[in-house]
Every structure is written in structure tokens, then in C-alpha cells.
Amino acid sequence: MELMVLLNALVTRLLFVLHSLIGVWRVTAVKKEPKYWLLALLNLLLCLETGLTLKFKQGRGYKWFSPAIFLYLICIVPSLWLLEIHHGTQYCGNEPGAVQVNVSNQDFNQSRESSHGSEGTDHHIIQTAKVFVNQLSTICETVWTLALHQTFLLLLVVGRWLLPIGVEITRDQLSQLLLMFVGTAADILEFASETLDIEDVRKNYALINAILAVWTWSMLQFPLDLAVQHIGCKPSASARRIPSLLLCRYSAELWNIGVSLFIQDGPFFIVRSILMGHFRIFNQMLVFFTAKNILVVTLQLYRLAVITLDFRASVLQKSRKGEVCCCPCEPYEARAHAIGHQENEMKEFVVFPPKEESQAPSEDH
């Protein structure tokens, strides 16, 4: 096993575990009940996945799916749910938070002076750590929750970058996937923060749960790598069945369209439409992002129509020429086999011209 592959696999999963533990710590501090530390047991699943990956895959990833990202979602999402639900009854202003931080800075300077003048370096480090933890604890709860959301989405992108890639995915495909994840993470963060910060939404627990459910549903696209990979298909299926050939040829494009319509922009548009239509909640940003979701959904449907028409035209053109409709993602041997099979069938219908009759022998003299 390569050293860098092992190091990247371990460091990335360690970052996932640490961030998950920070989320559990915040839930325990906000709820003031030690039983919420049991959420930390979810990290055992990530530890088990790490051992299995190192043993069977030598630290590298899988095709089309990342178990580490999926288990990280399982570890951190319950903590964010609890913080957002509790956040519905906890508000803090701008000025009190700043005053608390200033007081903590004063305590930090006093402890540093006392420890420097009286005791050793070890005591100074311990006092500094205690003051730093107390300072973090005094930060406003809304700031903590938003910071966990932001670092969670950033860590998803960075962690997918650091995780060792499998044999099936290339560096070019990984770069495309990361660029897509950056835009997706920004849209998801905007949806959660913009809708949950509305005062009328905070008063309705059913709305909070519905928004968090849609937010969780949108996070399920991160463990999947289908957006940059083509799905292979058998020659028999691709040559005779039109849907199989369409899925084979445009698998990545169809996956992107499906994600936008059913996982991200479509559900976001439904939630925002319900907020404006049923609950009569209007503001400038809500209207703008609703219009943006409508535009994205319309463009994705237009893209689907273009792909379908282009595919239909190519199939009709090849059928008129008598060619085999082979998928470009198939291996060369499969395409050669299909073409050779058609050539053998064509040979059966070849009519050879009759041989010319030999001239009659000349008369005997």
C-alpha cells in the first residue's frame, strides 16, 4: 500500500470524526444533557469502514459511491438537526455576543499574565486552553450553528478531494466532480440559511422539519460519482433497446438532470412555492431564489429535450444507413463484435453473379 494513499485515507476520515464530535459537543452543551454524547457512537461506523477499506481496497475508493462520505453524513446530520430545532426558540442579538467575546479576551490576558509570573509553562498552556474553550462556549448559538453548516459543506468538498480515488475514476473526472460540488454546496447552504432564518418559519415546527428533510435529501448526492462517469452496457442491450442505448450514451448528463429535478432545484422550488403560496411569506431573496429554481428546472427540461431529439436523429440516421448503433462507452472489443456480427448477416444476402459459360469446343476437322 502506498504511503500517501494510506495517509490521505486516514487523515480525511480523522477530520470527519473530529468535526462530528464537535457537532455532538455543541448539542450536549445546548441541550445540557449528557445523554446526547451517545451520538458519538455513530463514528464507530466510520471507523469500521476505514478498516474494511484499508483491508480490501488498500485505502482506495469505490466505483460510483463513497462510503466514507455517506457515513460522515450519518454522523453529522443528526447533530445539525437537533441544533436547528433547538435554534427555533433560542435567539441572541449582535451586541451581547461581542461583549462576551471581549470579556473572554480580558480573562485570557489576565490568566496569561498570572501564569507567566507565578507558574511554569505547563500551567500556562492549560490555562490558555481553558480560556480558549470558555471563549468558544460564549459564542452566540446561531453563529455556532451556521459555522457548523459552513464547515460541514466545505469539509465535504475538501474531503472528497483528499480521499484516494479508485481505479475507475480519473483525475479529470474528479476535478469536474469537485467543481460541481462547490456550486452544489453553495446552493444548499443558501437554501438552509435563507429559509430557516425567516421568523414565521421558526414559529412552525412542521415547516422546520420539512425544510430539514429536504435539506437532508439534497445531501445524498455527495456520496455518488455518477455525474462524471458513464455506465457501461452490453452490446445486445445497446443495439436493440433504445432506452438502454440512451442511458449508456448520456448517463452522466441524465444523472445531472435527474439530480437537479428530483434532489436539488426541484424540491427547493416546491418548498419555496409552499412558503409563498400557502403561508404567504414573501421577501426579496425568497422571490429571487424561487425564480432562479424555476429557471434552472426549465433549462434542465430543455436540455433533456435536446438530448432526446439528438439521440433520436442519430439513431434514425444510422438505421437508414444500416449501421449498428453502438454505445461510445463500450469497449472496442464489444463494438467490433457487434459490427462483425452484422457483417456476417450481410454476407448471407450477397448474390454472386453466375459464371460465364465456356465456349463450345470447335468442330473436329
Side-chain angles (χ1 to χ4, degrees):
M1 186 185 303
E2 299 179 3
L3 180 60
M4 288 301 299
V5 173
L6 176 62
L7 185 62
N8 289 337
L10 293 178
V11 169
T12 306
R13 288 167 173 84
L14 180 61
L15 291 176
F16 290 164
V17 171
L18 290 178
H19 190 262
S20 176
L21 292 178
I22 292 175
V24 175
W25 168 66
R26 282 308 304 166
V27 172
T28 307
V30 168
K31 295 289 187 179
K32 302 185 185 304
E33 295 183 11
K35 67 179 182 180
Y36 286 101
W37 279 110
L38 295 175
L39 292 173
L41 297 177
L42 294 174
N43 292 283
L44 295 177
L45 297 175
L46 192 57
C47 297
L48 179 61
E49 184 272 337
T50 303
L52 295 177
T53 303
L54 294 177
K55 181 178 180 181
F56 295 104
K57 298 289 291 185
Q58 288 75 43
R60 298 192 175 274
Y62 296 82
K63 185 178 182 180
W64 301 335
F65 183 73
S66 176
I69 299 293
F70 180 72
L71 294 177
Y72 173 52
L73 294 178
I74 294 178
C75 295
I76 189 63
V77 166
S79 300
L80 294 176
W81 266 72
L82 292 173
L83 289 175
E84 288 292 352
I85 292 175
H86 183 77
H87 177 85
T89 56
Q90 297 292 325
Y91 296 94
C92 57
N94 295 327
E95 296 299 328
V99 173
Q100 290 177 356
V101 172
N102 292 332
V103 173
S104 299
N105 287 330
Q106 293 178 1
D107 295 339
F108 173 77
N109 294 329
Q110 292 176 0
S111 63
R112 183 178 62 181
E113 292 176 359
S114 61
S115 61
H116 179 74
S118 59
E119 299 180 2
T121 307
D122 296 337
H123 183 71
H124 167 65
I125 296 175
I126 295 175
Q127 290 295 332
T128 303
K130 290 181 178 180
V131 172
F132 181 73
V133 173
N134 292 331
Q135 182 178 357
L136 291 178
S137 301
T138 55
I139 295 177
C140 179
E141 180 186 340
T142 57
V143 176
W144 258 111
T145 305
L146 180 60
L148 285 175
H149 273 282
Q150 294 171 341
T151 53
F152 166 50
L153 293 170
L154 289 176
L155 194 56
L156 279 175
V157 179
V158 176
R160 189 64 188 88
W161 190 6
L162 294 178
L163 284 174
I165 61 176
V167 182
E168 295 83 4
I169 186 172
T170 62
R171 294 289 180 182
D172 179 63
Q173 293 174 340
L174 179 62
S175 63
Q176 296 178 17
L177 187 67
L178 293 175
L179 289 174
M180 293 174 57
F181 279 178
V182 171
T184 300
D187 290 340
I188 292 175
L189 178 62
E190 170 273 321
F191 169 76
S193 60
E194 179 259 335
T195 53
L196 291 175
D197 285 344
I198 301 175
E199 184 177 358
D200 294 335
V201 173
R202 284 294 177 187
K203 298 177 182 178
N204 193 329
Y205 285 99
L207 270 182
I208 295 176
N209 292 327
I211 292 173
L212 289 177
V214 173
W215 170 77
T216 305
W217 171 250
S218 66
M219 302 302 298
L220 296 179
Q221 58 185 301
F222 285 97
L224 300 174
D225 299 338
L226 292 174
V228 294
Q229 297 190 46
H230 288 283
I231 301 175
C233 53
K234 298 180 180 180
S236 59
S238 63
R240 299 178 182 178
R241 297 180 181 179
I242 299 301
S244 300
L245 179 58
L246 178 63
L247 180 61
C248 174
R249 182 176 297 180
Y250 299 103
S251 59
E253 290 82 357
L254 292 176
W255 170 251
N256 289 328
I257 295 173
V259 167
S260 178
L261 294 179
F262 301 107
I263 299 182
Q264 187 171 332
D265 290 286
F268 290 178
F269 166 68
I270 293 174
V271 171
R272 287 170 173 142
S273 300
I274 293 174
L275 292 179
M276 293 189 299
H278 185 268
F279 293 95
R280 303 297 178 183
I281 299 174
F282 294 94
N283 59 54
Q284 185 177 2
M285 298 303 296
L286 184 61
V287 173
F288 170 76
F289 285 111
T290 304
K292 177 217 170 191
N293 292 140
I294 295 174
L295 182 60
V296 172
V297 170
T298 305
L299 291 176
Q300 293 292 355
L301 293 175
Y302 174 72
R303 174 62 178 164
L304 180 61
V306 169
I307 289 175
T308 305
L309 293 176
D310 180 70
F311 172 76
R312 181 184 178 185
S314 63
V315 170
L316 290 177
Q317 183 180 3
K318 289 187 176 182
S319 62
R320 289 172 183 174
K321 295 181 179 180
E323 298 178 359
V324 179
C325 297
C326 294
C327 177
C329 59
E330 293 177 1
Y332 174 78
E333 293 80 3
R335 295 198 298 270
H337 176 74
I339 294 174
H341 179 69
Q342 185 183 13
E343 290 178 353
N344 293 331
E345 292 181 351
M346 293 296 294
K347 287 180 181 180
E348 296 179 359
F349 299 96
V350 174
V351 179
F352 293 96
K355 296 182 180 180
E356 295 183 358
E357 296 181 358
S358 58
Q359 297 180 357
S362 59
E363 298 178 356
D364 297 335
H365 294 283

